[in-house]
Every structure is written in C-alpha cells, then in structure tokens.
Amino acid sequence: MSTPKTSSAEQGSHSNYRRSLGTIALTATGLGSIIGSGWLFGAERAAAIAGPAAILAWVIGAVVALTIALTYSELGAMFPKAGGMVRYGQYSHGSLAGYLAAWANWIAIVSVIPGEATASVQYMSSWDFGWAQGLYDGKELTGSGVACASVLLVFYFFLNWFAITLFAKTNTAITVFKVVVPIMTAGALMLAHFDTSNVKQFGGFAPNGWSAVFTAVALSGIVWAYNGFQSPLNMAAEARNPGKSLPKAVILSIVIALVIYLALQVAFLMGVPHGDLTKAGSWAGLGFNSPLADLSLAWGLNWLAMLLYADAFISPSGTGMIYAATTSRMIHGVQENGHLPGIFGRVDKKTGVPRPALVLNLVIAFLFLAVFRGWGSLAEIVSIATVISYITGPVAVMSLRRLSPDLKRPVQLRAMPVIAPIAMVFGSLVLYWGRWPLTGKVILIMAVGLPVWAWYELRKPWVELKPHLKAGAWMVAYLLVMAAVSYCGGTEFGGRGFIPQGVDLAVVVVLALAFYYWGVRSSWRNPSLVEAEAEARAAAERDEVTDGGDEGRDPADKVDARV
C-alpha cells in the first residue's frame, strides 16, 4: 500500500506490545546502548585524532547529543510508539522528508549491531592463542573473524526473539556490569600509572589543532557512543509511563555516560607508557588492537586485562542486543509509515516481539558485516548517518508545535524555540566535521534508499504526491548543499579549501539556521499527522479515565517532566 495503515490496524499491532519498562529499565536501555564497544576503542581513537584534547571532544559530543535529545524527548512523549525515531519526520513533513529521516536513522542504528560484534572479535584477537590472533589482521576481521562475529549476531537475535520481559531483565543485569567495569578500569589504570607529562609533550594538549577536536567528535566513535540515547525513544511503546520516564531516561543515560567516558579518556592519556609514545612519535602512531587491555598488561594489571577480555564480549553484546530490539521497532515504524510490506508490522501476540522485523535486521546486519569488517570503518559510517538523522528532530518538534499546538505534550520545554535551532546548528557542524569525502559518501548512501520510497509513493496521483515533495524539498536541498560545502570547505576538514578556514564554520551555521526555518515553514498537516493526532487524543482520554492509579508504577516515574 502507498498509504499508512488505518488507525484501527495500527492500534491493533501496538496492543501486542507490553508496557513493562519503567524509568530504571529505560535508563538501562539508553546507558547500555551508549556503553558498548565505544568505551573499549573510543579513548584511543579520539586520542589518535585530537591528542589529549580528546577530553574536550567527549564534552562537546555530550552537549550536542543532549541538545538534540531534548527535542526528541518532547516528540517521544507525545507519540509513545514503537520505532519512534523513524516517525516524527513523517508526522511533520509527510512521506519524502519522513522517509529520508527514517532511512538515515535506520542505517545508523542497524549498522551498530555488526559493529558491536566486530568489536568483541577484535578484542579477542589479542588473546595469546594462535587461532585468536588470526581473527584480525590489524585493519579488519579475517574470514574466521567474520564467522565468529556472525555467531554473535545470531546470539543477539535469539535474546530478542522470545519476550520483552526477558530483554528487560537481561539488559538491566548486563548494564550494571557494563557500568561497573569501565569505572573499575579507569580507577585501576589511574592508580597504576598517571603520567601528566604525556599531555605536555608530543605536541602538547592539542597537537593536531582545534579542528582535530571537532573531527574527533564526528569520527572517533563519540557520536557512535552517544547515539544510544535513541534506544529508550524507540522502545516507547513498551514504556509504562512514557511522558515521565522517557525524558529522564534519555538525559540520565547521556550524563552518566559522559562521566564514565571522561574518566576512561583521562586514564588512557595518562596511562600510555612514555616509551610507547616516544617510539610511535605521536598519539596517532599508537597501534593497540585492544587498547585498555594492552595498557593493563603493560602495568601488570593482569586481572584487569582478563576482566576486559570478558567484558569485550559482555559490553558490545549487551549493546548489540539492545540495538537488535530497537531496530526491529524501527522497522515496524517504517512499515506503518507505508514504506515496507505489511509482514514487518506484525507483533507476536504471546511475546510482544516484532519477529519479522527482527529477521530482516539480522539479514541486513550480515550484509554490513560482510562489507565493513573493521570497527573504525563502521564507526565512521554510523556517526555520519546518525548526524543526518538528527536534523529532523529540531525541525519536527517546532513544526508540530506550529501545526498541533493543542496536542497534549507530557514534556514541554519552554526554551525549545531556542534549543531547537541550536540543535540544528550542532548537528550540521558535526556533519561538516566528519570531513570530505566521507560526508559525501554517506549522503550518497541516503540516495540509495530512495528507490524504496519511489516504489510506494510515485504510484500516487500527482495531486496527492505534490505536497509531500514540496514539504520534503528542504531536506533534499540540505543534503546536497551540505555535501557541496563539505567539498568546498577548509582543508582541515578534508575540503578543497575554496572556503577559508573559520569562514567555513560560519557558513555552516548560517546554512543550518536557514534550512531550519525553511523546514519549519514547510511542515503541513499531512494524513500521517492527522491520524497520529487522533490516536494521541484517544490515548489521552483513556489516560484521564484511568488516571490516579499509581500502584505498580516505577517510583522514578512519579515526578512531573514538564519544565
């Protein structure tokens, strides 16, 4: 069909989900997504790009993620539906902008699943066994490494196959372990060796200039890591009290992760042996296969190395399991937007799991694993695709305030008219920092998905299709213009240097604001929004009837989320 499902059909599919996740479980979902393979490799990769100034890169990344997350928190609380992140652009701008946003978001998330499996196998290659060392050749997984990663993908798949309650119990336990081990790692490495001269020598605090700090935000796995804030939003259909639990889960997961990642970055910078840095000649010259485990062995912390080798399975596997769950909900959302066959909207009545969507994502994960066999290459693709998906949140949240001012908003920030354009600017800057030609390649990947949209949409009568094209024109133009600016921009960001250094950043800011206001003005009351409004009002009426019963709710959900 070229149109979304009927309201009754959609409500029927959503009634099969189990609203069993409270604030603690949702925070564990977000934090478990953020602390995956990123903490195992992110500190070294960020240091290789930016040197000790990588510390600032993690802070900048958190600020960017938090600003953008605030826009999505309002949207997620308004529309607590499965795969929420792939829906909001459709509600505000119709099928073209909605599909492009959903495609970018899905590509960014589904590719994380093989990335987490790759990280586990890459760490395994440091084991003192010949077969283990043959899993990774220093740049990418070998054939045997791909086979091991494939087994992990199947493991993630089956953990999600049976029931959402099994997912919640398993994920919360894994997340506790994932939080404790990084904290122990940072503390142990700092106590074992804390050489502040590493910051002063080898080029100083920012050996590659401040542009490298911004590039580190985009490419070192920082965006990859913080992107996990999306997971609670995509599980919104299973949240017990989404209006209160979703924003708290999103914000808490980012803030807690920032503290952990800062501690790990400092521990890595001060823990690298001076001799290794001297031999490498620079931070970029270091070549650890298993960075934190290698440092642990260098300072005689064999117990910590063994713990890290174990956690190299647990942390990425926990994140892979979460993303296998959230991407299946995203596929369900894309199907209900009208851009996939009906089978992918089916939710098993007994388990509350969208099983056909799980199968599709498993197949796509295998394809990504076959093409991108290294953690670094996957992290770059994920990061840029993620940023492209970010730009719809700021535009959609203010568009919906214009189009549906009376719709109930459990989370409504008074400062959103200021936060939203700032979020658009931040997202555009991170996209530019990703460097040409990578930015161009990922934007090209966005075009690859258009035939699917065309299959469903171009069969519509012109009078019906025209407003969707008109409303989505801003996003198509944005991607083309940003690719051109990246190509013509400063050489420090991979461009040809036609736009002078410093001026290029100002150009990106001005363009981001121009496209933001164009996007907000382009929004329209399309059929998807009208249907979503009707469902939201019906849900609000049901809540009013049942309101007052706090029994059985998560205590953390009882605080008003309106700011």
Side-chain angles (χ1 to χ4, degrees):
M1 291 180 63
S2 60
T3 58
K5 286 185 175 184
T6 64
S7 178
S8 60
E10 187 167 339
Q11 286 180 359
S13 68
H14 279 267
S15 66
N16 292 330
Y17 283 118
R18 307 288 187 264
R19 289 197 176 275
S20 57
L21 304 181
T23 297
I24 294 174
L26 288 168
T27 301
T29 300
L31 192 57
S33 297
I34 294 173
I35 302 178
S37 58
W39 84 271
L40 296 169
F41 295 98
E44 184 207 28
R45 191 167 176 81
I49 296 174
I55 294 171
L56 297 180
W58 286 103
V59 176
I60 294 171
V63 172
V64 170
L66 188 58
T67 304
I68 293 171
L70 289 174
T71 67
Y72 280 110
S73 294
E74 178 170 321
L75 294 168
M78 284 175 66
F79 306 108
K81 303 178 73 173
M85 292 287 288
V86 303
R87 297 174 181 271
Y88 310 135
Q90 178 103 0
Y91 293 157
S92 61
H93 289 81
S95 69
L96 179 56
Y99 178 81
L100 287 171
W103 174 258
N105 201 278
W106 178 65
I107 288 294
I109 299 298
V110 75
S111 53
V112 171
I113 303 172
E116 299 303 311
T118 299
S120 292
V121 176
Q122 191 168 323
Y123 247 72
M124 193 196 309
S125 68
S126 293
W127 291 1
D128 194 18
F129 302 102
W131 64 268
Q133 294 172 1
L135 299 173
Y136 182 72
D137 65 8
K139 295 182 179 179
E140 62 180 24
L141 299 185
T142 62
S144 58
V146 171
C148 286
S150 299
V151 172
L152 287 175
L153 292 182
V154 174
F155 174 68
Y156 305 159
F157 171 80
F158 278 112
L159 277 178
N160 280 279
W161 183 259
F162 297 105
I164 184 62
T165 51
L166 175 63
F167 164 83
K169 293 175 182 178
T170 305
N171 177 59
T172 301
I174 289 176
T175 299
V176 170
F177 185 80
K178 288 169 64 174
V179 170
V180 170
V181 173
I183 293 172
M184 289 178 58
T185 300
L189 287 176
M190 288 182 190
L191 290 174
H193 189 77
F194 199 83
D195 189 353
T196 57
S197 67
N198 286 352
V199 176
K200 301 173 184 177
Q201 300 181 28
F202 308 102
F205 185 71
N208 300 320
W210 294 107
S211 62
V213 177
F214 302 136
T215 298
V217 174
L219 298 185
S220 68
I222 293 175
V223 170
W224 163 303
Y226 287 128
N227 189 39
F229 80 77
Q230 297 189 28
S231 292
L233 298 173
N234 284 321
M235 303 291 285
E238 288 126 303
R240 272 202 300 270
N241 194 357
K244 297 176 181 179
S245 60
L246 284 177
K248 287 186 284 186
V250 168
I251 294 170
L252 280 173
S253 60
I254 292 174
V255 172
I256 294 171
L258 170 61
V259 174
I260 293 173
Y261 275 120
L262 283 177
L264 287 166
Q265 187 67 66
V266 171
F268 178 83
L269 291 169
M270 308 306 174
V272 174
H274 192 83
D276 286 2
L277 267 174
T278 302
K279 183 178 179 180
S282 67
W283 291 98
L286 293 172
F288 298 121
N289 284 346
S290 309
L292 299 175
D294 290 346
L295 285 186
S296 301
L297 292 173
W299 300 115
L301 302 175
N302 295 342
W303 64 270
L304 181 58
M306 294 301 102
L307 183 62
L308 286 169
Y309 287 139
D311 190 68
F313 278 100
I314 296 173
S315 284
S317 293
T319 302
M321 178 186 70
I322 293 169
Y323 277 102
T326 57
T327 50
S328 65
R329 276 67 176 176
M330 293 169 73
I331 287 294
H332 187 178
V334 172
Q335 188 278 323
E336 289 183 344
N337 285 346
H339 298 134
L340 280 176
I343 188 174
F344 296 113
R346 295 179 184 174
V347 180
D348 184 76
K349 293 182 178 180
K350 293 182 179 180
T351 63
V353 174
R355 286 179 167 176
L358 269 178
V359 174
L360 175 62
N361 282 322
L362 178 64
V363 172
I364 299 301
F366 278 131
L367 291 176
F368 267 97
L369 182 61
V371 176
F372 303 102
R373 299 186 175 192
W375 186 88
S377 59
L378 271 167
E380 291 179 351
I381 294 294
V382 169
S383 298
I384 300 303
T386 295
V387 173
I388 292 175
S389 71
Y390 279 173
I391 66 169
T392 54
V395 174
V397 71
M398 292 308 299
S399 295
L400 290 170
R401 283 196 178 190
R402 183 175 74 87
L403 297 173
S404 300
D406 298 327
L407 201 61
K408 182 180 178 181
R409 287 169 169 79
V411 178
Q412 186 170 358
L413 302 179
R414 294 189 182 94
M416 189 59 73
V418 176
I419 293 172
I422 291 175
M424 182 71 171
V425 168
F426 283 169
S428 301
L429 284 171
V430 175
L431 177 60
Y432 179 69
W433 297 339
R435 299 176 61 86
W436 181 269
L438 181 62
T439 49
K441 291 178 180 178
V442 178
I443 288 173
L444 180 62
I445 292 176
M446 297 302 100
V448 171
L450 283 176
V452 177
W453 174 85
W455 172 260
Y456 285 96
E457 297 295 327
L458 292 186
R459 293 178 290 176
K460 293 180 178 179
W462 173 248
V463 68
E464 184 179 343
L465 178 62
K466 181 179 177 181
H468 292 272
L469 296 176
K470 183 179 179 181
W474 73 272
M475 190 166 184
V476 176
Y478 172 85
L479 294 175
L480 294 175
V481 170
M482 287 302 297
V485 171
S486 182
Y487 174 78
C488 298
T491 55
E492 71 276 17
F493 294 112
R496 298 296 297 274
F498 300 145
I499 305 176
Q501 183 177 352
V503 176
D504 55 349
L505 298 181
V507 168
V508 172
V509 171
V510 171
L511 287 173
L513 292 173
F515 279 105
Y516 166 79
Y517 289 109
W518 180 8
V520 172
R521 291 179 63 86
S522 296
S523 58
W524 66 297
R525 290 183 56 78
N526 62 84
S528 294
L529 174 59
V530 173
E531 185 176 321
E533 287 175 332
E535 292 178 9
R537 291 191 178 99
E541 291 174 1
R542 289 195 300 270
D543 290 343
E544 288 180 3
V545 172
T546 59
D547 194 23
D550 282 342
E551 183 179 356
R553 291 185 183 178
D554 189 330
D557 292 342
K558 298 180 182 179
V559 180
D560 189 2
R562 188 176 296 269
V563 178

